[in-house]
Amino acid sequence: MKKFIPRFDFPDYNIPRTDFKGHQLKALRKFESLRPQLNLILELRDVRAPLSTRNILIDQLIDKRIHQRLVIYTKRDLIADNTQYLQRLSHWQQELDEPFILINANQRRSARHVLDIIKSYKRQLEHCNQGLALPAGYKVLVTGMPNVGKSTLINTLRGSPRKVARTGPHAGVTRNTSETIRVGEPHDNIYLIDTPGIGLPGRLVNERQRMLSLSLCGCIKTNLVDPVIQADYLLYLANLQEPQKHYPGTPTNDVYQLLNRFGTPRDNITAAAVYWLQQSHRGLIYDRELLLDTDSFSLRGYLSRQPQPDPRSKKQSRMTTRDRQLQNVNQLFPKLSDR
Ligand SMILES: Nc1nc2c(ncn2[C@@H]2O[C@H](COP(=O)(O)OP(=O)(O)OP(=O)(O)O)[C@@H](O)[C@H]2O)c(=O)[nH]1
Ligand SMILES: [Mg+2]
């Protein structure tokens, strides 16, 4: 039998570069006003797409002199078998010197671990303050891209059967920054703030494929990208990883051939794509760079190569709504345009 060779390239489809919305800009403004009272920033990312779900706007929010920071990779359970990948990710994070943990946000044990870390950060801060208690309590902003599990983690940390934060399997469930939510014992004095997921304005997205990875993680609106293109990208990734685990029949590079195998009524190819996208694809990594071998990819190298477009060069008269949004973002985070 002929050996199956997966595609190494993926077509450059003309897909939207952004799903940035007005409520996200409003949230960024709110972050700016909360900034002086925050002690810890918890940045959540989806472990299956750590590059795509990293948000450079959050880097701009952090002032190292006053804020502590912890990166939390969620959805660990969806990739638990892939120990080799988890080891590589840990190695890259250590290289960056960015404190991080991996969790399942639905799991009480994970939430207890997060709470223990928050308490230890708080103790560190009190120690630096010569043991003085923090008058307004210890404030923790829970932030990240849409749908990465921010509200889920807050509910699990609260531990009560009644949810304090609304959750759902698609992007944009939380629309407003919450009031403070107490976690732990009353004397712990720890308060979390739930936030709407923040995406990136189009000009800060240099590769369209980011949108495909984000789409597979549910971080952008479901119908922003044609489901057949999403299915094609999923097929491409599955073939580079373990095709036999993710679809029936012999491996194929032809998405139409695959979708026809699902036998949907009246050969509705879009319905077949949606059906396949909704299956669980445990173990799959959605950022294709991470499939390169160790010599060809390092997270530090990748991040240093990310271009930072200068939005100031755009003429005011030709500004679109998106340009204006980006300009607003840059006014909030001037450091971005100086890079
Ligand atoms: N398997 C798994 N599912 C998770 C995990 N964390 C969150 N989810 C699921 O992911 C979906 C999104 O969770 P939310 O908590 O609503 O995400 P969010 O970041 O608050 O989303 P926005 O409010 O839209 O920004 C829900 O269906 C959760 O059940 C996790 O660690 N593992
Ligand atoms: Mg939410």
Side-chain angles (χ1 to χ4, degrees):
M1 206 172 66
K2 234 171 96 187
K3 190 172 178 285
F4 172 70
I5 302 178
R7 287 174 284 173
F8 286 105
D9 281 323
F10 190 76
D12 192 15
Y13 290 114
N14 191 15
I15 51 176
R17 272 177 195 269
T18 182
D19 189 24
F20 192 74
K21 299 213 174 66
H23 76 272
Q24 301 184 353
L25 181 63
K26 190 172 142 205
L28 284 171
R29 287 191 198 286
K30 179 77 180 175
F31 291 179
E32 190 58 19
S33 68
L34 288 172
R35 207 145 88 119
Q37 29 166 323
L38 298 174
N39 301 109
L40 171 64
I41 315 279
L42 294 183
E43 183 191 347
L44 273 59
R45 299 180 194 154
D46 188 318
V47 70
R48 297 166 299 171
L51 305 181
S52 302
T53 57
R54 183 187 182 97
N55 191 327
I56 51 169
L57 294 177
I58 295 170
D59 295 347
Q60 305 304 312
L61 172 74
I62 294 166
D63 179 344
K64 284 192 179 139
R65 290 165 306 175
I66 53 171
H67 299 135
Q68 297 159 301
R69 176 196 204 172
L70 176 67
V71 173
I72 299 185
Y73 287 108
T74 57
K75 314 203 180 184
R76 178 179 209 253
D77 50 307
L78 300 181
I79 206 140
D81 295 348
N82 201 337
T83 45
Q84 203 189 357
Y85 165 68
L86 292 174
Q87 276 168 7
R88 282 184 81 192
L89 182 64
S90 303
H91 174 71
W92 290 324
Q93 277 293 138
Q94 278 154 11
E95 251 182 24
L96 285 184
D97 207 13
E98 219 176 44
F100 75 99
I101 52 169
L102 295 142
I103 66 161
N104 169 0
N106 286 306
Q107 195 188 48
R108 294 287 294 272
R109 193 153 54 98
S110 282
R112 274 199 299 273
H113 183 42
V114 173
L115 187 59
D116 286 344
I117 297 180
I118 296 176
K119 286 182 187 171
S120 79
Y121 276 38
K122 176 173 175 261
R123 278 196 301 273
Q124 268 176 32
L125 186 65
E126 285 169 344
H127 181 72
C128 295
N129 284 353
Q130 278 126 15
L132 293 177
L134 303 159
Y138 187 74
K139 298 250 175 76
V140 183
L141 189 81
V142 183
T143 182
M145 289 268 183
N147 203 48
V148 291
K150 302 176 290 298
S151 306
T152 304
L153 174 62
I154 290 179
N155 286 329
T156 316
L157 276 164
R158 283 279 297 180
S160 71
R162 199 178 65 82
K163 280 185 176 181
V164 286
R166 209 156 69 84
T167 63
H170 45 84
V173 172
T174 307
R175 308 294 286 191
N176 293 304
T177 303
S178 77
E179 298 302 318
T180 50
I181 301 166
R182 187 176 58 71
V183 293
E185 300 301 322
H187 64 261
D188 288 330
N189 237 352
I190 295 172
Y191 300 94
L192 303 191
I193 300 170
D194 190 15
T195 64
I198 306 288
L200 287 175
R203 233 141 0 106
L204 298 179
V205 181
N206 61 323
E207 296 142 291
R208 286 185 197 277
Q209 267 173 32
R210 288 278 153 266
M211 296 303 279
L212 290 169
S213 308
L214 288 173
S215 177
L216 294 181
C217 293
C219 297
I220 57 175
K221 209 166 49 181
T222 341
N223 56 359
L224 193 73
V225 182
D226 178 349
V228 178
I229 297 181
Q230 291 184 50
D232 193 24
Y233 191 59
L234 184 61
L235 175 65
Y236 162 77
L237 291 172
N239 285 342
L240 288 172
Q241 296 172 63
E242 289 176 289
Q244 67 286 358
K245 264 178 73 180
H246 300 285
Y247 58 85
T250 50
T252 174
N253 284 315
D254 181 339
V255 71
Y256 289 98
Q257 194 185 81
L258 171 74
L259 295 178
N260 276 320
R261 290 181 194 168
F262 296 119
T264 47
R266 283 182 276 136
D267 292 335
N268 183 340
I269 218 72
T270 305
V274 170
Y275 166 80
W276 188 49
L277 288 165
Q278 282 171 351
Q279 308 296 304
S280 115
H281 298 283
R282 281 173 183 268
L284 267 194
I285 298 162
Y286 293 147
D287 280 336
R288 65 174 186 165
E289 297 88 336
L290 305 184
L291 304 173
L292 295 168
D293 60 44
T294 323
D295 293 339
S296 314
F297 180 82
S298 98
L299 185 55
R300 194 200 284 269
Y302 170 85
L303 294 176
S304 69
R305 284 192 305 275
Q306 289 303 293
Q308 301 290 327
D310 181 357
R312 285 172 303 186
S313 62
K314 192 91 176 170
K315 285 213 174 74
Q316 188 80 21
S317 58
R318 288 181 23 223
M319 274 175 100
T320 62
T321 310
R322 293 268 174 239
D323 295 331
R324 269 186 220 104
Q325 282 178 345
L326 183 63
Q327 193 188 49
N328 287 333
V329 169
N330 279 291
Q331 277 163 3
L332 286 172
F333 298 106
K335 273 185 275 172
L336 250 187
S337 47
D338 292 342
R339 281 215 212 149

